[in-house]
C-alpha cells in the first residue's frame, strides 16, 4: 500500500463539513469587509519567495519545497500566500486601479517542517491583503477582520498580541542596541541566532530555543526605539482597537517570521493547542511591493492557519454546524418501482431537494434502515400498490408520522416541510 506523505493530511468526507464551515465563515467575513478573492498559482519562481519572504527567514532557508522543472527553472511550492498576491497585484497593474485593493485568499501552503500537532508540511491559510493605504485605520481594520473571523467561528480564549517593529530608520537604531546587548552572550546562543546576529538581529527575538529565549528576555525593546512617525502610527492603531472594543496586549517579542514586515505586527494566540498556539499572524509590510519591483504601495494583511483552527476548535469543544442530510429517501420494492423511485429522486433533485435512493439492491427493510442511518428526513416506499394509485405514504422519520401524497405533489410536500 502507498501511504500519504509525512506531514500531509486527507480531509475525509465525514469531516469536510468542518472545512466548509471555516471556508464559509471566511467568505462571510470577506463579504462584510468588502474583500474580493484572489487566486494565484500553487507554484511560483523561487526568486519570488527569496525576495518577498526574505532570505534570512526560516521559511526560505530551511522550509521551502524547491525543485527544478523540466525546463531547468527553479520553482517553489508557495510557503505562504502574500508573495503570490503581491506579485499578481504588480503584474496586473492593480496599483493604477481602485485603491485600496482589498483581497482575500484561501490557499494550500507548503513548508518542509518537522510535523507535529498543528504543524504540517501541507497546510492551508485564510489570509487577507489590503494594498494602498499607509494609514493606521487600515491596520486596525485588518485586525478587526481577523478577530471577527475567529469570533464567528466561535473560537474561545484567543488573545491578541500586537507590537511595532518600526521602519528602516528606527529598526537600524534598534538593531544596533540589540547587537550591543547580545554581543557578550553570543557564544551561548544557537548557531542559527549567531548567523542572524550578522544578517537580521531582530529575528533572534523569534527564536524558540530555550537558551536564546533566556538571553533575549532582558533585551532592549523595539518599542523604546521607534521614530516619531512609527510611534504615532502604533498609538493610532491602538486607539482604533480600543475604540472598537478589542482587547489586546503589547508584546515586544512579537516580531513575525517574515522579513517584509514594518510597523504593526500582531498575532492571535491560543492556549488550547499547546506550543503551536498562533492561529493567526499578520501585520504591515510597506516595503514588499517595492521589493518585488512595484511602486511604493503600502500593505497590511494577515494569514490564519486552517488546520490549527480546526485543531483548536476540536480541543476546546467548539461545535461545527453539521451539514444538511438528505431530505427524502425513495425506496423501491421490485424492478419497476425501483425505476419509479429513481426518477422521483431525479425530479426531487431538480427542485433542489436532496434525495437518495438505493444502489445496493437492498430489501425494503434494509433500505429503511439505510435511510435512517444517513439521516433522511422523509422516506417514501414505492411498491405495486403505490404504482397503481400514483400516490405514496411518506413517513417523517423524526416522529413516524405518515402522510399519503400523490407522486405529482411529493416535491411540494417535502419543500413545505423543509
Ligand atoms: P510558527 O511560529 O507557528 O512557525 P509562522 O510565523 O511560521 O508560525 P506564518 O508564516 O505567519 O506562521 O503563517 C501564518 C499562520 O499559518 C500561522 O499562524 C499558523 O496558524 C499557520 N501555519 C504556519 N506554518 C504552519 C504549518 N507548518 N502547519 C500548519 N499551520 C501553519
Ligand atoms: Mg514557522
Amino acid at each position: 500500500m502507498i501511504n500519504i506523505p509525512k506531514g500531509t493530511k486527507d480531509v475525509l468526507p465525514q469531516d469536510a463539513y468542518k472545512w466548509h464551515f471555516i471556508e464559509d465563515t471566511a467568505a462571510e467575513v470577506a463579504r462584510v469587509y468588502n474583500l474580493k478573492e484572489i487566486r494565484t498559482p500553487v507554484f511560483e519562481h523561487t526568486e519570488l519567495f527569496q525576495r518577498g519572504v526574505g532570505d534570512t527567514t526560516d521559511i526560505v532557508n530551511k522550509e521551502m519545497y524547491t525543485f527544478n522543472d523540466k525546463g531547468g527553472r527553479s520553482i517553489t511550492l508557495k510557503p505562504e500566500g502574500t508573495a503570490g498576491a503581491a506579485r499578481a497585484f504588480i503584474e496586473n497593474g492593480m496599483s493604477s486601479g481602485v485603491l485600496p485593493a482589498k483581497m482575500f485568499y484561501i490557499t494550500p501552503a507548503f513548508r518542509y517542517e518537522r510535523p507535529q500537532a498543528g504543524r504540517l508540511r501541507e497546510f492551508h491559510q485564510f489570509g487577507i491583503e489590503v494594498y494602498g493605504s499607509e494609514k493606521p485605520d487600515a491596520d486596525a481594520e485588518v485586525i478587526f477582520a481577523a478577530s471577527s473571523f475567529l469570533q464567528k467561528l466561535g473560537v474561545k480564549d484567543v488573545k491578541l498580541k500586537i507590537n511595532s517593529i518600526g521602519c528602516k530608520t528606527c529598526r537600524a537604531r534598534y538593531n544596533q542596541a540589540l547587537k550591543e546587548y547580545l554581543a557578550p552572550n553570543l557564544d551561548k546562543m544557537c548557531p542559527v541566532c549567531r548567523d542572524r546576529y550578522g544578517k537580521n538581529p531582530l529575528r533572534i527575538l523569534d527564536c524558540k530555543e530555550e537558551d536564546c529565549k533566556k538571553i533575549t528576555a532582558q533585551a532592549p525593546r523595539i518599542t523604546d526605539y521607534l521614530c516619531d512617525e512609527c510611534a504615532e502610527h502604533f498609538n493610532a492603531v491602538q486607539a482604533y482597537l480600543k475604540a472598537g472594543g478589542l482587547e489586546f496586549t503589547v508584546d515586544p517579542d512579537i516580531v513575525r517570521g517574515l522579513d517584509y514586515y514594518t510597523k504593526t505586527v500582531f498575532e492571535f494566540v491560543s492556549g488550547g493547542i499547546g506550543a503551536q498556539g498562533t492561529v493567526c499572524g499578520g501585520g504591515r509590510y510597506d516595503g514588499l511591493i517595492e521589493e518585488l519591483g512595484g511602486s511604493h504601495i503600502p500593505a497590511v494583511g494577515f494569514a490564519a492557519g486552517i488546520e490549527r483552527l480546526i485543531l483548536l476548535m476540536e480541543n476546546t469543544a467548539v461545535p461545527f454546524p453539521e451539514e444538511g442530510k438528505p431530505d427524502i429517501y425513495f425506496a423501491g420494492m421490485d424492478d419497476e418501482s425501483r425505476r419509479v423511485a429513481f426518477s422521483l429522486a431525479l425530479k426531487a433533485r431538480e427542485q433542489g431537494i436532496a434525495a437518495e435512493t438505493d444502489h445496493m439492491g437492498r430489501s425494503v427493510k434494509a433500505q429503511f434502515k439505510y435511510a435512517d442511518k444517513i439521516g433522511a428526513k422523509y422516506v417514501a416506499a414505492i411498491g405495486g400498490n403505490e404504482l397503481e394509485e400514483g400516490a405514496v405514504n411518506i413517513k417523517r422519520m423524526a416522529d413516524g408520522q405518515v402522510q399519503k401524497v400523490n407522486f405529482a405533489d411529493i416535491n411540494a410536500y417535502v419543500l413545505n416541510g423543509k
Side-chain angles (χ1 to χ4, degrees):
M1 204 196 76
I2 299 166
N3 294 321
I4 195 169
K6 203 172 158 186
T8 65
K9 267 191 178 162
D10 296 312
V11 177
L12 299 175
Q14 67 264 26
D15 291 324
Y17 71 97
K18 297 179 181 175
W19 284 77
H20 296 161
F21 178 52
I22 304 244
E23 288 161 4
D24 291 350
T25 306
E28 176 56 14
V29 169
R31 188 183 70 78
V32 297
Y33 277 86
N34 191 31
L35 302 149
K36 301 285 183 241
E37 184 174 7
I38 179 160
R39 300 188 188 191
T40 65
V42 159
F43 60 86
E44 298 270 2
H45 293 295
T46 302
E47 195 191 347
L48 175 71
F49 303 114
Q50 285 168 339
R51 297 217 337 236
V53 179
D55 44 22
T56 65
T57 59
D58 282 356
I59 294 180
V60 171
N61 283 327
K62 302 193 288 204
E63 298 172 358
M64 293 207 303
Y65 277 87
T66 298
F67 58 95
N68 285 332
D69 72 5
K70 288 189 167 53
R73 304 168 197 90
S74 181
I75 293 293
T76 294
L77 304 185
K78 58 159 88 164
E80 50 88 61
T82 293
R87 180 209 36 76
F89 175 87
I90 299 166
E91 194 165 354
N92 293 287
M94 288 171 69
S95 61
S96 44
V98 181
L99 294 179
K102 296 176 66 172
M103 303 176 278
F104 81 98
Y105 59 79
I106 294 175
T107 183
F110 305 87
R111 296 184 194 176
Y112 196 80
E113 299 203 70
R114 196 167 62 79
Q116 49 200 290
R119 196 175 287 292
L120 294 153
R121 289 181 175 174
E122 183 194 32
F123 61 101
H124 296 76
Q125 291 182 331
F126 162 53
I128 80 173
E129 306 284 328
V130 175
Y131 294 169
S133 170
E134 60 181 13
K135 303 284 185 216
D137 36 283
D139 309 41
E141 184 169 290
V142 163
I143 295 172
F144 273 105
S147 166
S148 157
F149 174 58
L150 298 173
Q151 211 170 9
K152 280 187 191 341
L153 291 177
V155 173
K156 288 169 282 198
D157 299 329
V158 180
K159 295 201 163 58
L160 169 61
K161 297 177 177 183
I162 64 167
N163 191 22
S164 172
I165 57 169
C167 60
K168 267 194 191 132
T169 324
C170 39
R171 194 145 2 127
R173 275 204 311 140
Y174 174 70
N175 279 345
Q176 192 57 37
L178 183 62
K179 281 172 92 165
E180 276 164 24
Y181 167 84
L182 293 173
N185 293 309
L186 203 54
D187 53 335
K188 296 191 202 81
M189 306 194 77
C190 76
V192 182
C193 280
R194 286 207 293 273
D195 188 48
R196 285 169 175 150
Y197 183 85
K199 288 183 185 156
N200 191 349
L202 190 67
R203 186 105 306 126
I204 293 176
L205 300 179
D206 204 26
C207 186
K208 312 266 182 334
E209 299 286 332
E210 276 311 315
D211 286 348
C212 301
K213 273 173 136 175
K214 251 183 244 159
I215 294 165
T216 53
Q218 303 301 322
R221 302 183 149 203
I222 177 98
T223 39
D224 294 331
Y225 288 79
L226 297 179
C227 65
D228 288 349
E229 190 202 319
C230 288
E232 208 173 292
H233 185 95
F234 193 38
N235 284 334
V237 172
Q238 295 180 54
Y240 272 101
L241 297 182
K242 283 181 190 148
L246 194 55
E247 276 181 33
F248 62 88
T249 52
V250 174
D251 182 343
D253 288 339
I254 305 276
V255 292
R256 306 293 309 134
L258 314 183
D259 267 357
Y260 48 60
Y261 282 92
T262 51
K263 293 183 177 160
T264 315
V265 287
F266 65 90
E267 288 185 354
F268 285 87
V269 186
S270 153
I273 41 174
Q276 266 57 257
T278 306
V279 288
C280 172
R284 178 166 277 288
Y285 24 95
D286 289 346
L288 176 67
I289 306 281
E290 250 174 315
E291 177 62 37
L292 295 176
S295 45
H296 176 70
I297 299 281
V300 56
F302 74 74
I306 296 180
E307 283 85 352
R308 262 184 219 184
L309 280 168
I310 292 179
L311 187 68
L312 171 64
M313 291 169 71
E314 287 171 345
N315 286 359
T316 54
V318 176
F320 293 85
E322 290 221 12
E323 287 190 322
K325 303 259 166 70
D327 297 307
I328 185 161
Y329 183 91
F330 292 99
M333 285 182 193
D334 48 35
D335 285 353
E336 200 189 342
S337 49
R338 277 170 183 277
R339 276 194 295 275
V340 172
F342 187 90
S343 54
L344 286 172
L346 289 181
K347 286 207 184 90
R349 292 176 189 134
E350 278 170 19
Q351 301 289 310
I353 294 166
E356 259 288 44
T357 186
D358 178 54
H359 301 299
M360 303 298 287
R362 292 189 170 109
S363 70
V364 172
K365 196 174 157 212
Q367 289 183 59
F368 263 94
K369 231 170 142 182
Y370 173 78
D372 194 40
K373 210 173 183 173
I374 62 173
K377 189 168 179 196
Y378 296 105
V379 177
I382 321 281
N385 293 343
E386 285 74 17
L387 293 184
E388 233 166 71
E389 269 192 74
V392 59
N393 280 325
I394 296 184
K395 182 174 173 186
R396 190 160 69 194
M397 297 298 272
D399 57 5
Q401 185 204 296
V402 171
Q403 171 75 44
K404 185 167 249 181
V405 182
N406 289 331
F407 286 175
D409 300 329
I410 293 176
N411 288 351
Y413 177 75
V414 173
L415 287 170
N416 218 7
K418 255 184 135 178

